[in-house]
Amino acid sequence: MTLTDIINQNAKIHLNAFDEPFAKEVQNRLTALGCLDPPADGIFGQVSRLAIRKLAKIVNLAFDDVVDANFANILLNHTADDLFPLTLGNDFASRIIQYMQLKNYWFARIPNFLTIVYVEGTNEDGNLNNDAFNEFNDRRIVLAFEDGKPKILHNALATTEPGRFFTVHPTNPLGAARIAFGQFKAWSVGIHKAGTPSAHAALVQVAPLPVHRDLNQDGRRTGDAVDKGIFGINQHKGFNAPVTNIGRSSAGCLVSRLNSDHTAFMSLVKTELRYRDASHSYRFISTIIAGDDLKNKIG
Protein backbone atom coordinates (compact mmCIF):
# COMPACT_ATOMS: atom_id res chain seq x y z
CA MET A 1 0.00 0.00 0.00
CA THR A 2 1.20 3.50 -0.86
CA LEU A 3 -0.27 6.96 -0.44
CA THR A 4 -1.13 6.92 -4.13
CA ASP A 5 -2.96 3.60 -3.67
CA ILE A 6 -5.02 5.07 -0.85
CA ILE A 7 -6.02 8.03 -3.02
CA ASN A 8 -6.80 5.92 -6.10
CA GLN A 9 -8.70 3.26 -4.18
CA ASN A 10 -10.35 5.63 -1.70
CA ALA A 11 -8.90 3.36 0.96
CA LYS A 12 -7.84 3.95 4.54
CA ILE A 13 -5.27 2.49 6.89
CA HIS A 14 -4.84 2.73 10.66
CA LEU A 15 -1.50 3.79 12.12
CA ASN A 16 -1.22 0.39 13.81
CA ALA A 17 -1.40 -1.32 10.42
CA PHE A 18 1.50 0.55 8.81
CA ASP A 19 4.15 -1.75 7.41
CA GLU A 20 7.75 -0.51 7.18
CA PRO A 21 7.67 0.73 3.56
CA PHE A 22 4.43 2.64 4.08
CA ALA A 23 5.64 4.03 7.41
CA LYS A 24 8.79 5.30 5.70
CA GLU A 25 6.78 6.91 2.90
CA VAL A 26 4.56 8.73 5.40
CA GLN A 27 7.56 9.73 7.53
CA ASN A 28 9.37 11.11 4.50
CA ARG A 29 6.34 13.19 3.57
CA LEU A 30 6.00 14.47 7.14
CA THR A 31 9.68 15.41 7.02
CA ALA A 32 9.24 17.26 3.72
CA LEU A 33 6.36 19.21 5.29
CA GLY A 34 8.48 20.27 8.28
CA CYS A 35 6.53 18.12 10.74
CA LEU A 36 8.91 15.24 11.48
CA ASP A 37 12.67 15.39 11.73
CA PRO A 38 14.63 13.00 9.52
CA PRO A 39 15.62 10.31 8.90
CA ALA A 40 12.67 7.99 8.31
CA ASP A 41 13.17 4.70 10.15
CA GLY A 42 10.02 2.79 9.17
CA ILE A 43 8.94 2.54 12.81
CA PHE A 44 5.85 4.68 13.29
CA GLY A 45 6.41 5.38 16.97
CA GLN A 46 5.20 8.05 19.35
CA VAL A 47 7.17 10.93 17.79
CA SER A 48 5.82 10.11 14.32
CA ARG A 49 2.30 9.79 15.73
CA LEU A 50 2.60 13.14 17.46
CA ALA A 51 3.71 14.75 14.18
CA ILE A 52 0.86 13.32 12.10
CA ARG A 53 -1.74 14.21 14.73
CA LYS A 54 -0.41 17.77 14.93
CA LEU A 55 -0.58 18.07 11.15
CA ALA A 56 -4.16 16.80 11.09
CA LYS A 57 -5.16 19.39 13.66
CA ILE A 58 -3.43 22.20 11.77
CA VAL A 59 -5.21 21.36 8.49
CA ASN A 60 -8.54 20.92 10.32
CA LEU A 61 -9.02 17.25 9.47
CA ALA A 62 -10.85 14.96 11.84
CA PHE A 63 -8.30 12.28 12.64
CA ASP A 64 -8.79 9.04 14.55
CA ASP A 65 -5.35 7.59 13.69
CA VAL A 66 -6.53 6.56 10.23
CA VAL A 67 -4.96 7.83 7.02
CA ASP A 68 -7.69 8.12 4.40
CA ALA A 69 -7.71 9.53 0.86
CA ASN A 70 -8.15 13.13 2.05
CA PHE A 71 -5.21 12.91 4.41
CA ALA A 72 -3.11 11.00 1.86
CA ASN A 73 -3.72 13.83 -0.60
CA ILE A 74 -2.48 16.41 1.91
CA LEU A 75 0.64 14.36 2.61
CA LEU A 76 1.42 13.62 -1.02
CA ASN A 77 0.31 16.68 -2.97
CA HIS A 78 1.16 19.64 -0.77
CA THR A 79 4.41 21.36 0.10
CA ALA A 80 5.67 22.79 3.36
CA ASP A 81 5.17 26.29 1.96
CA ASP A 82 1.55 25.44 1.09
CA LEU A 83 0.72 24.32 4.59
CA PHE A 84 3.15 26.44 6.60
CA PRO A 85 3.87 29.64 4.66
CA LEU A 86 6.79 31.56 6.12
CA THR A 87 7.16 35.28 6.69
CA LEU A 88 10.88 36.03 6.73
CA GLY A 89 12.58 39.37 7.19
CA ASN A 90 16.15 40.51 7.80
CA ASP A 91 16.21 39.71 11.51
CA PHE A 92 18.68 37.19 12.92
CA ALA A 93 16.09 34.40 13.21
CA SER A 94 14.94 34.89 9.61
CA ARG A 95 18.49 34.90 8.30
CA ILE A 96 19.21 31.64 10.10
CA ILE A 97 16.15 30.04 8.53
CA GLN A 98 17.05 31.36 5.07
CA TYR A 99 20.53 29.87 5.48
CA MET A 100 19.09 26.55 6.60
CA GLN A 101 16.83 26.51 3.54
CA LEU A 102 19.83 27.26 1.31
CA LYS A 103 21.80 24.38 2.86
CA ASN A 104 18.78 22.04 2.79
CA TYR A 105 18.87 21.67 6.56
CA TRP A 106 15.68 20.55 8.26
CA PHE A 107 13.79 22.81 10.66
CA ALA A 108 10.51 22.32 12.49
CA ARG A 109 7.57 24.27 11.08
CA ILE A 110 4.93 23.05 13.53
CA PRO A 111 4.35 25.75 16.16
CA ASN A 112 6.03 24.99 19.51
CA PHE A 113 8.40 22.44 17.96
CA LEU A 114 11.94 23.65 18.72
CA THR A 115 14.94 24.07 16.41
CA ILE A 116 18.41 24.21 17.99
CA VAL A 117 21.16 26.08 16.16
CA TYR A 118 24.71 27.13 17.05
CA VAL A 119 26.20 30.04 15.10
CA GLU A 120 29.97 30.46 15.36
CA GLY A 121 31.62 33.84 15.57
CA THR A 122 28.53 36.02 15.98
CA ASN A 123 27.18 38.38 18.60
CA GLU A 124 23.69 38.32 20.09
CA ASP A 125 22.30 40.38 17.20
CA GLY A 126 23.86 38.09 14.58
CA ASN A 127 26.65 40.48 13.60
CA LEU A 128 30.09 38.95 13.19
CA ASN A 129 32.82 39.16 15.82
CA ASN A 130 36.51 38.24 15.49
CA ASP A 131 35.83 34.60 16.50
CA ALA A 132 39.02 34.55 18.57
CA PHE A 133 40.44 31.22 19.68
CA ASN A 134 39.86 30.21 23.32
CA GLU A 135 37.02 32.69 23.83
CA PHE A 136 33.26 32.39 24.19
CA ASN A 137 32.10 34.12 21.00
CA ASP A 138 29.45 31.82 19.51
CA ARG A 139 25.68 31.68 20.04
CA ARG A 140 23.41 28.91 21.23
CA ILE A 141 20.01 29.60 19.64
CA VAL A 142 16.61 27.96 20.07
CA LEU A 143 13.97 28.90 17.48
CA ALA A 144 10.28 28.20 17.04
CA PHE A 145 7.64 29.44 14.60
CA GLU A 146 4.71 31.67 15.49
CA ASP A 147 2.24 32.51 12.71
CA GLY A 148 4.87 31.64 10.12
CA LYS A 149 7.55 33.84 11.67
CA PRO A 150 10.68 32.40 13.28
CA LYS A 151 11.12 33.59 16.84
CA ILE A 152 14.27 33.26 18.95
CA LEU A 153 13.30 31.79 22.31
CA HIS A 154 16.85 31.42 23.62
CA ASN A 155 20.05 33.23 22.59
CA ALA A 156 23.06 32.59 24.81
CA LEU A 157 26.81 33.17 24.64
CA ALA A 158 28.49 29.84 23.99
CA THR A 159 31.35 28.02 22.34
CA THR A 160 31.29 25.22 19.79
CA GLU A 161 35.04 24.69 20.04
CA PRO A 162 37.57 23.36 22.54
CA GLY A 163 39.61 25.88 24.50
CA ARG A 164 43.37 26.21 24.55
CA PHE A 165 43.86 23.79 27.45
CA PHE A 166 42.30 20.78 25.72
CA THR A 167 43.76 21.80 22.38
CA VAL A 168 47.25 21.54 23.88
CA HIS A 169 46.31 18.62 26.17
CA PRO A 170 43.79 16.66 24.06
CA THR A 171 41.87 13.74 25.54
CA ASN A 172 42.39 11.87 22.25
CA PRO A 173 45.85 11.25 20.73
CA LEU A 174 44.49 12.28 17.31
CA GLY A 175 43.91 15.79 18.63
CA ALA A 176 41.17 17.87 20.18
CA ALA A 177 37.71 17.48 18.64
CA ARG A 178 36.10 20.40 16.84
CA ILE A 179 32.59 19.57 15.65
CA ALA A 180 32.05 19.76 11.89
CA PHE A 181 29.66 22.32 10.47
CA GLY A 182 26.35 20.72 9.54
CA GLN A 183 23.22 19.21 11.03
CA PHE A 184 23.22 16.16 13.27
CA LYS A 185 20.49 14.21 15.09
CA ALA A 186 22.70 13.08 17.90
CA TRP A 187 21.59 14.25 21.37
CA SER A 188 19.15 13.18 24.07
CA VAL A 189 18.38 14.59 27.50
CA GLY A 190 20.81 13.08 29.97
CA ILE A 191 23.57 13.88 32.46
CA HIS A 192 26.92 15.42 31.58
CA LYS A 193 29.77 13.94 33.65
CA ALA A 194 27.42 11.54 35.43
CA GLY A 195 28.75 10.31 38.76
CA THR A 196 31.07 13.30 39.31
CA PRO A 197 30.64 16.41 41.48
CA SER A 198 30.10 18.50 38.34
CA ALA A 199 27.30 16.29 36.98
CA HIS A 200 24.34 18.21 35.55
CA ALA A 201 21.47 17.88 33.10
CA ALA A 202 22.53 18.32 29.49
CA LEU A 203 21.92 17.16 25.96
CA VAL A 204 24.20 14.14 25.74
CA GLN A 205 25.64 12.73 22.53
CA VAL A 206 23.97 9.40 21.71
CA ALA A 207 24.79 8.99 18.01
CA PRO A 208 27.96 9.35 15.92
CA LEU A 209 28.87 12.72 14.48
CA PRO A 210 31.92 14.07 12.61
CA VAL A 211 34.66 16.13 14.26
CA HIS A 212 37.85 17.71 12.97
CA ARG A 213 40.93 16.53 14.89
CA ASP A 214 43.22 19.45 15.70
CA LEU A 215 46.45 17.44 15.72
CA ASN A 216 48.57 20.49 14.81
CA GLN A 217 46.97 22.48 17.66
CA ASP A 218 46.32 25.60 15.59
CA GLY A 219 42.75 26.11 16.82
CA ARG A 220 41.30 25.74 13.33
CA ARG A 221 39.47 23.12 11.26
CA THR A 222 41.39 23.82 8.06
CA GLY A 223 43.28 20.76 6.87
CA ASP A 224 42.37 18.67 9.91
CA ALA A 225 41.44 15.01 9.56
CA VAL A 226 37.76 14.16 10.11
CA ASP A 227 36.91 11.54 12.70
CA LYS A 228 33.41 10.17 13.27
CA GLY A 229 32.04 8.51 16.36
CA ILE A 230 30.55 9.01 19.81
CA PHE A 231 33.05 11.20 21.64
CA GLY A 232 30.95 12.75 24.39
CA ILE A 233 30.27 15.94 22.43
CA ASN A 234 27.60 17.10 24.85
CA GLN A 235 25.63 20.33 25.14
CA HIS A 236 26.42 21.43 28.68
CA LYS A 237 27.16 24.42 30.90
CA GLY A 238 30.43 26.34 31.09
CA PHE A 239 30.66 26.87 34.85
CA ASN A 240 30.69 30.68 34.42
CA ALA A 241 34.14 30.65 32.85
CA PRO A 242 35.59 34.03 31.79
CA VAL A 243 34.48 35.25 28.37
CA THR A 244 38.10 35.45 27.23
CA ASN A 245 39.24 32.07 28.55
CA ILE A 246 37.33 28.87 27.84
CA GLY A 247 39.79 27.07 30.09
CA ARG A 248 38.76 23.51 30.86
CA SER A 249 35.06 24.13 30.32
CA SER A 250 35.15 22.65 26.81
CA ALA A 251 37.15 19.82 25.27
CA GLY A 252 35.02 20.08 22.14
CA CYS A 253 31.48 20.19 23.50
CA LEU A 254 28.77 22.76 22.73
CA VAL A 255 28.94 24.85 25.86
CA SER A 256 26.89 27.74 27.22
CA ARG A 257 29.19 30.04 29.23
CA LEU A 258 26.78 30.89 32.04
CA ASN A 259 25.28 28.20 34.21
CA SER A 260 22.05 30.21 34.42
CA ASP A 261 21.77 30.28 30.62
CA HIS A 262 22.25 26.54 30.46
CA THR A 263 19.60 25.96 33.12
CA ALA A 264 17.19 28.07 31.05
CA PHE A 265 18.15 26.13 27.91
CA MET A 266 17.45 22.77 29.53
CA SER A 267 14.15 23.98 30.94
CA LEU A 268 13.15 25.07 27.44
CA VAL A 269 14.37 21.84 25.85
CA LYS A 270 12.20 19.83 28.22
CA THR A 271 9.09 21.70 27.01
CA GLU A 272 9.71 20.33 23.50
CA LEU A 273 6.53 18.39 22.70
CA ARG A 274 8.43 15.56 21.01
CA TYR A 275 10.31 15.06 24.28
CA ARG A 276 7.62 15.94 26.80
CA ASP A 277 4.61 14.26 25.20
CA ALA A 278 6.08 11.58 22.93
CA SER A 279 9.38 10.15 24.16
CA HIS A 280 11.90 11.05 26.85
CA SER A 281 14.51 9.29 24.72
CA TYR A 282 13.72 11.67 21.85
CA ARG A 283 16.86 12.46 19.85
CA PHE A 284 17.35 16.18 19.23
CA ILE A 285 18.78 17.66 16.03
CA SER A 286 21.25 20.52 16.31
CA THR A 287 22.75 22.55 13.47
CA ILE A 288 26.20 24.15 13.61
CA ILE A 289 26.67 27.14 11.31
CA ALA A 290 29.72 29.27 10.50
CA GLY A 291 28.77 32.87 11.13
CA ASP A 292 30.94 34.17 8.29
CA ASP A 293 29.28 31.78 5.84
CA LEU A 294 25.86 32.93 7.03
CA LYS A 295 26.95 36.52 6.46
CA ASN A 296 28.41 35.80 3.02
CA LYS A 297 25.43 33.83 1.74
CA ILE A 298 22.49 35.61 3.38
CA GLY A 299 23.80 38.92 4.67
Side-chain angles (χ1 to χ4, degrees):
M1 182 71 73
T2 67
L3 290 170
T4 299
D5 293 335
I6 288 177
I7 294 170
N8 291 340
Q9 299 171 24
N10 195 27
K12 58 180 64 176
I13 183 170
H14 194 279
L15 301 185
N16 293 339
F18 284 15
D19 60 18
E20 183 176 338
F22 186 71
K24 280 188 174 181
E25 182 185 12
V26 173
Q27 287 174 326
N28 281 326
R29 291 306 305 153
L30 288 169
T31 294
L33 296 174
C35 301
L36 179 68
D37 29 329
D41 60 7
I43 303 169
F44 215 80
Q46 292 306 310
V47 175
S48 296
R49 290 170 185 243
L50 175 67
I52 201 169
R53 289 164 183 159
K54 287 288 183 184
L55 176 60
K57 185 174 182 179
I58 287 167
V59 299
N60 294 313
L61 275 183
F63 186 65
D64 55 359
D65 288 354
V66 172
V67 174
D68 60 13
N70 286 336
F71 204 171
N73 180 65
I74 288 170
L75 288 169
L76 195 60
N77 296 316
H78 287 75
T79 68
D81 288 334
D82 291 339
L83 300 179
F84 303 97
L86 303 183
T87 302
L88 302 178
N90 196 42
D91 55 288
F92 191 18
S94 292
R95 288 186 285 118
I96 289 172
I97 293 300
Q98 290 172 59
Y99 182 86
M100 293 180 76
Q101 289 178 307
L102 183 68
K103 300 288 283 188
N104 201 31
Y105 293 151
W106 189 88
F107 56 89
R109 296 201 186 210
I110 290 181
N112 300 316
F113 278 20
L114 304 179
T115 296
I116 299 171
V117 181
Y118 289 81
V119 187
E120 281 194 8
T122 58
N123 300 323
E124 185 175 8
D125 59 4
N127 288 323
L128 294 179
N129 57 48
N130 65 1
D131 199 18
F133 174 55
N134 196 47
E135 295 186 8
F136 286 92
N137 45 36
D138 309 323
R139 306 307 300 185
R140 176 191 276 177
I141 306 285
V142 182
L143 299 164
F145 278 90
E146 257 182 36
D147 299 322
K149 297 179 181 179
K151 179 180 179 181
I152 293 178
L153 305 181
H154 182 84
N155 184 346
L157 183 61
T159 183
T160 60
E161 305 172 277
R164 179 174 287 111
F165 179 86
F166 283 111
T167 297
V168 177
H169 305 94
T171 59
N172 187 301
L174 296 177
R178 183 170 276 100
I179 192 169
F181 293 121
Q183 183 173 77
F184 314 106
K185 187 177 176 68
W187 294 271
S188 291
V189 172
I191 301 296
H192 177 67
K193 290 190 175 295
T196 73
S198 57
H200 60 274
L203 289 184
V204 174
Q205 186 190 357
V206 294
L209 52 78
V211 300
H212 296 263
R213 289 292 181 186
D214 192 6
L215 187 60
N216 63 359
Q217 301 180 3
D218 67 351
R220 299 167 60 88
R221 293 180 178 84
T222 307
D224 290 346
V226 175
D227 191 11
K228 188 172 184 179
I230 298 180
F231 307 116
I233 307 296
N234 299 339
Q235 301 183 40
H236 65 83
K237 67 184 180 183
F239 303 98
N240 302 319
V243 172
T244 57
N245 184 14
I246 291 171
R248 300 190 185 199
S249 63
S250 176
C253 291
L254 308 174
V255 180
S256 177
R257 185 181 83 86
L258 293 178
N259 293 353
S260 57
D261 281 342
H262 180 71
T263 298
F265 171 71
M266 289 307 299
S267 294
L268 180 58
V269 160
K270 290 178 181 179
T271 69
E272 164 59 60
L273 300 179
R274 291 165 290 181
Y275 168 81
R276 191 191 71 190
D277 297 344
S279 172
H280 278 194
S281 61
Y282 171 68
R283 190 175 298 178
F284 287 80
I285 285 180
S286 295
T287 305
I288 295 82
I289 293 172
D292 54 358
D293 197 45
L294 171 63
K295 176 68 174 178
N296 290 338
K297 289 187 168 60
I298 304 299

